[in-house]
């Protein structure tokens, strides 16, 4: 069952560290159902997934993205080493370098400029000085994604067009409003959710930063869903619940993908695309 042709459908992809793996399972089932977006908007981890998906927005492309996630290790993105330790002891503005993520992007992204993607991809970042949202729709794709995923204090800011940019989640965690401004009349949100079943916060600076960011994303999504419910046809794919995995744990990517695929398939079969409203999994709760 595909979208009505008169609609301009956008996939909006949120951030959430390693929980970004769930978006791959959601993408797999949405495409198998016949959903194809007119464009994609992504922030933070959602920018990474969105940029890869926009290169080859097919089931074959999603399979390649899934293979990347299944082979991903924490050290690939957060190379905590002697230099990182020195960063803690000095006045350096960030904890780890983003070279690992840059190498990953350069190795796998088959296009150089955002405007060269197979479908339009829009990346949301934040101005480090003002906190304002910065929308990147043209220019180097790797720099745009690095900027959108640059967690303040963890990764260094990225200079783009004379602006120092950081994580898109600072200004707009789940950029529904951005998709509306870009002309979407129908929006399907792929949320990463949050670790609702955790009994304690993750250990370590990075783990705690990612955990806090995932909570912020979920809360903002609920707020924005209520704000734009009457302005656009809005559908939110249910996130995983219960979920105990830390957004800093990349070893569970395969399991998250399969759980998300199963949940999304069931939601589609039960008429999820015909129902408005925010899934209960995203509202504040615990287990």
């Amino acid at each position: 069952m595909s979208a009505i042709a008169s609609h301009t459908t956008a996939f909006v992809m949120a951030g959430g560290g390693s929980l970004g793996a769930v978006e791959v399972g959601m993408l797999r089932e949405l495409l198998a159902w016949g959903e194809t977006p007119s464009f994609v908007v992504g922030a933070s981890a959602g920018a990474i997934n969105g940029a890869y998906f926009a290169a080859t927005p097919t089931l074959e492309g999603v399979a390649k993205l899934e293979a990347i996630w299944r082979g991903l290790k924490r050290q690939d993105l957060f190379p905590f080493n002697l230099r990182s330790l020195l960063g803690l002891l000095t006045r350096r503005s960030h904890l780890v370098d983003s070279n690992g993520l840059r190498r990953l992007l350069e190795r796998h992204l088959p296009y150089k400029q955002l405007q060269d993607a197979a479908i339009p991809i829009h990346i949301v970042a934040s101005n480090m000085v003002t906190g304002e949202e910065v929308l990147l729709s043209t220019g180097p794709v790797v720099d745009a994604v690095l900027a959108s995923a640059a967690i303040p204090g963890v990764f260094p800011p990225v200079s783009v067009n004379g602006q120092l940019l950081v994580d898109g989640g600072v200004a707009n965690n789940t950029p529904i409003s951005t998709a509306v401004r870009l002309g979407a009349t129908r929006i399907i949100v792929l949320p990463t959710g949050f670790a609702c079943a955790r009994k304690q916060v993750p250990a370590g600076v990075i783990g705690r930063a990612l955990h806090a960011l995932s909570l912020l994303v979920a809360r903002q999504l609920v707020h924005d869903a209520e704000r734009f419910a009457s302005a656009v046809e809005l559908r939110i794919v249910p996130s995983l619940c219960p979920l105990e995995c830390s957004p800093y744990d990349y070893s569970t990517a395969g399991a998250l993908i399969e759980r998300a695929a199963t949940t999304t398939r069931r939601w589609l079969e039960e008429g999820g695309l015909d129902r408005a409203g925010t899934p209960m999994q995203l509202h504040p709760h615990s287990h």
Side-chain angles (χ1 to χ4, degrees):
M1 183 185 301
S2 59
I4 299 174
S6 60
H7 277 300
T8 298
T9 298
F11 281 4
V12 171
M13 306 178 76
S18 64
L19 302 184
V22 306
E23 294 176 338
V24 182
M26 293 172 177
L27 280 172
R28 185 210 294 173
E29 296 305 318
L30 286 168
L31 263 65
W33 193 257
E35 287 293 338
T36 53
S38 301
F39 63 90
V40 179
V41 183
S44 199
I48 298 173
N49 284 334
Y52 278 115
F53 174 67
T56 311
T58 63
L59 283 171
E60 180 183 4
V62 173
K64 292 179 180 178
L65 177 58
E66 180 176 336
I68 295 171
W69 270 100
R70 288 181 179 273
L72 202 58
K73 296 179 177 59
R74 180 189 297 172
Q75 189 68 12
D76 295 332
L77 301 180
F78 301 97
F80 198 84
N81 48 32
L82 179 59
R83 189 174 182 184
S84 303
L85 180 60
L86 291 174
L88 286 174
L89 302 175
T90 65
R91 302 184 68 175
R92 194 171 73 163
S93 62
H94 57 277
L95 188 59
V96 296
D97 292 323
S98 55
N99 295 334
L101 179 55
R102 177 178 287 278
R103 286 192 295 269
L104 186 74
L105 295 170
E106 290 176 343
R107 183 163 66 247
H108 294 289
L109 279 174
Y111 61 103
K112 302 293 186 183
Q113 302 291 312
L114 287 164
Q115 61 269 30
D116 294 333
I119 60 173
I121 171 68
H122 304 278
I123 302 297
V124 174
S126 305
N127 185 299
M128 185 178 182
V129 177
T130 66
E132 294 178 334
E133 176 183 335
V134 177
L135 184 63
L136 302 170
S137 304
T138 61
V141 60
V142 172
D143 287 348
V145 174
L146 282 176
S148 185
I151 306 166
V154 176
F155 286 130
V158 179
S159 179
V160 178
N161 299 327
Q163 299 184 82
L164 279 181
L165 303 182
V166 292
D167 198 299
V170 173
N172 202 344
N173 300 296
T174 308
I176 296 172
S177 58
T178 306
V180 172
R181 289 199 307 272
L182 290 167
T185 59
R186 180 172 179 267
I187 297 173
I188 299 177
V189 180
L190 286 68
T192 57
F194 62 98
C196 55
R198 286 195 70 88
K199 302 305 180 185
Q200 57 187 15
V201 297
V205 175
I206 300 176
R208 293 187 176 198
L210 287 170
H211 178 70
L213 185 61
S214 68
L215 292 174
L216 181 63
V217 168
R219 303 300 187 270
Q220 186 65 43
L221 174 53
V222 172
H223 176 270
D224 285 352
E226 294 172 352
R227 178 184 174 193
F228 291 99
S230 61
V232 66
E233 183 178 319
L234 182 64
R235 301 294 182 262
I236 304 174
V237 183
S239 53
L240 298 182
C241 179
L243 183 61
E244 189 174 356
C245 174
S246 163
Y248 191 39
D249 181 5
Y250 287 81
S251 67
T252 62
L256 292 177
I257 290 170
E258 294 306 324
R259 280 188 64 192
T262 299
T263 300
T264 303
R265 189 183 316 118
R266 184 182 306 119
W267 177 74
L268 290 167
E269 292 171 347
E270 293 174 352
L273 286 174
D274 298 322
R275 297 193 303 270
T278 306
M280 55 78 57
Q281 295 92 332
L282 288 168
H283 288 278
H285 69 278
S286 58
H287 296 270

